[in-house]
Amino acid sequence: MLRLAGARVLDERDLIDVRGVFDNDPVAACMVAARVEVAGLDPWRLGGEMWGSDSRPLRGRVDGLCFSGPNLIPLKGSASAMRMFADRARRRGRMCSSLVGPAEQVLTLWDELQPDWGPAREVRGDQPLMAISSSPKVTPDPLVRQVRPSELSRYLPAAISMFIEEVGIDPCAEDGGAGYRARVSELIAAGRAFARFEHGEVVFKAEIGAMSSRVGQIQGVWVRPDRRGEGIGTAGTAAVADRLIRVLNRTASLYVNGYNHVAQASYRRIGFEQVGQYATVLF
């Protein structure tokens, strides 16, 4: 039976095609690949829906791919595919806190959605996507280590400060911080939160936010304000990247705001190179 071209919810029968998209650009796809590798394409286990689009009336290779969950993440597709995803997103209603991913797809999709979902709180259209797969050029900080579950109360204030600086809102505003505390606790329990402690206080922190079978994405890099400019952030980030590369056998990646020239210079000193371009629309 023929069906009209458009966006559809993918299922396990589409898994080979979806993995092909991930394999084509594993760094850009890390956030979504990490979920799919664990949960497959079942929406309940995945925590969202994987949408596909193709221009042909029969099931086959997808021409466009977009994850719709806590974030809306378009990974692949032409302007036509983004229109299809926008139509489906409008019908479903906005359920995401941001639109993030490869800049071409994100900004094209946002052009379609802006009349209904706008205005955005902020549009960050220039976010270099960077990666490193060999030993860092900077000596990793030996004092950066995994955060222990018992250290949550000491780590959390630094995580909150980072979030406010980076996103511009207080993660504790809506529910007293219960949801954010739970997310940070999960990262610590998984061994993916790292910090340098001095006199019991965090002076550097970072996390491995998403980790697929090939790539780990570093997020939440933060240095206590009174210790900035000392190289702590560079050596600390090198320590997290080094762990991803040597211990976990992954490529280390991150994305950074284009206007943050200091951070970009730091990452380049470590050995990160730009491999793509991201964009984020914050609601």
Side-chain angles (χ1 to χ4, degrees), residues 3-283:
R3 61 175 176 82
L4 296 176
R8 58 184 174 87
V9 178
L10 304 183
D11 58 35
E12 297 301 317
R13 292 172 292 179
D14 301 291
L15 195 53
I16 292 176
D17 294 332
V18 170
R19 285 175 174 163
V21 174
F22 298 162
D23 290 342
N24 187 57
D25 194 344
V27 175
C30 176
M31 286 188 288
V32 181
R35 286 176 171 266
V36 172
E37 288 174 0
V38 172
L41 294 177
D42 175 74
W44 186 85
R45 296 185 62 228
L46 188 60
E49 295 179 344
M50 187 70 74
W51 299 343
S53 72
D54 61 59
S55 57
R56 294 165 297 177
L58 296 174
R59 179 181 294 272
R61 181 177 60 83
V62 294
D63 296 322
L65 191 67
C66 180
F67 173 71
S68 176
N71 303 299
L72 191 62
I73 308 175
L75 286 179
K76 176 188 177 182
S78 63
S80 176
M82 296 306 111
R83 283 193 293 273
M84 295 178 193
F85 294 145
D87 288 343
R88 191 170 192 99
R90 277 191 292 265
R91 291 196 301 271
R92 192 182 191 196
R94 186 173 72 80
M95 303 175 69
C96 58
S97 61
S98 70
L99 202 170
V100 60
E104 180 181 356
Q105 282 71 34
V106 165
L107 297 177
T108 302
L109 182 55
W110 178 235
D111 283 344
E112 296 288 338
L113 288 171
Q114 185 173 9
D116 300 285
W117 285 12
R121 184 164 56 83
E122 186 177 357
V123 177
R124 300 177 178 179
D126 175 20
Q127 295 181 308
L129 178 64
M130 309 181 79
I132 179 174
S133 57
S134 57
S135 296
K137 298 177 181 178
V138 171
T139 302
D141 185 346
L143 297 181
V144 170
R145 59 171 175 80
Q146 288 177 313
V147 180
R148 306 181 187 104
S150 62
E151 295 171 320
L152 172 62
S153 62
R154 287 192 285 166
Y155 183 81
L156 191 60
I160 293 170
S161 295
M162 177 281 304
F163 194 96
I164 292 172
E165 284 187 41
E166 177 63 24
V167 183
I169 59 174
D170 186 346
C172 302
E174 290 190 3
D175 59 359
Y180 187 67
R181 181 186 179 93
R183 288 195 293 274
V184 173
S185 181
E186 288 175 2
L187 286 169
I188 293 174
R192 286 160 52 181
F194 300 84
R196 172 174 172 159
F197 290 88
E198 291 183 2
H199 308 294
E201 293 187 1
V202 175
V203 297
F204 166 84
K205 66 162 288 292
E207 297 132 9
I208 302 171
M211 189 164 66
S212 71
S213 60
R214 298 175 62 180
V215 180
Q217 190 175 85
I218 299 172
Q219 66 175 30
V221 177
W222 180 87
V223 177
R224 200 172 70 189
D226 66 327
R227 300 299 303 276
R228 293 173 185 174
E230 300 178 17
I232 291 175
T234 301
T237 303
V240 180
D242 187 59
R243 182 175 182 84
L244 272 167
I245 295 163
R246 289 195 310 106
V247 179
L248 300 175
N249 196 31
R250 263 81 167 179
T251 293
S253 76
L254 50 79
Y255 60 100
V256 57
N257 291 316
Y259 55 77
N260 195 341
H261 302 295
V262 172
Q264 289 186 63
S266 171
Y267 300 145
R268 292 189 187 281
R269 284 197 296 274
I270 294 168
F272 281 90
E273 295 181 353
Q274 184 170 354
V275 296
Q277 190 80 6
Y278 255 33
T280 302
V281 179
L282 296 169
F283 300 116

